Amino acid sequence: DARRAVAVLWGLAAMLRWRGVVAGVEVSTTAAYNIRPGDYVATVRLTYAGFEPHRFTLGWLVLGGPQGTTGRHFGRNDMASLEYAVAW
């Protein structure tokens, strides 16, 4: 549909990023909201590095939006992740 293609090309985006440390856990969030047509993506990551040299990260990604948007198309692909890293 030609009308839909124009809506995606002319969409606007707003972005938010926050990062901080709370009780030894690093919290990082990122969010993007496409004002028109209204789809969004958001991430949250919690990282604990209290067991030097080990680092554990728990992450979450959310996608969504109204019917007919890219966010809605991939909306059932939300995911969580667990990461382990070690550095000597």
Side-chain angles (χ1 to χ4, degrees):
D1 177 38
R3 217 170 33 147
R4 174 69 187 125
V6 171
V8 171
L9 292 174
W10 291 102
L12 298 174
M15 190 80 160
L16 167 69
R17 181 168 172 92
W18 181 82
R19 185 175 174 176
V21 177
V22 178
V25 176
E26 180 182 303
V27 180
S28 177
T29 63
T30 305
Y33 176 70
N34 194 357
I35 296 167
R36 184 168 183 228
D39 50 357
Y40 58 88
V41 61
T43 65
V44 176
R45 291 175 54 92
L46 305 172
T47 301
Y48 182 70
F51 300 117
E52 288 280 337
H54 309 281
R55 186 178 184 94
F56 301 93
T57 302
L58 178 63
W60 183 42
L61 169 73
V62 178
L63 300 154
Q67 188 68 31
T69 63
T70 303
R72 177 65 162 235
H73 179 74
F74 291 103
R76 299 196 78 174
N77 291 324
D78 298 349
M79 67 176 166
S81 63
L82 180 59
E83 177 183 328
Y84 168 75
V86 63
W88 288 275

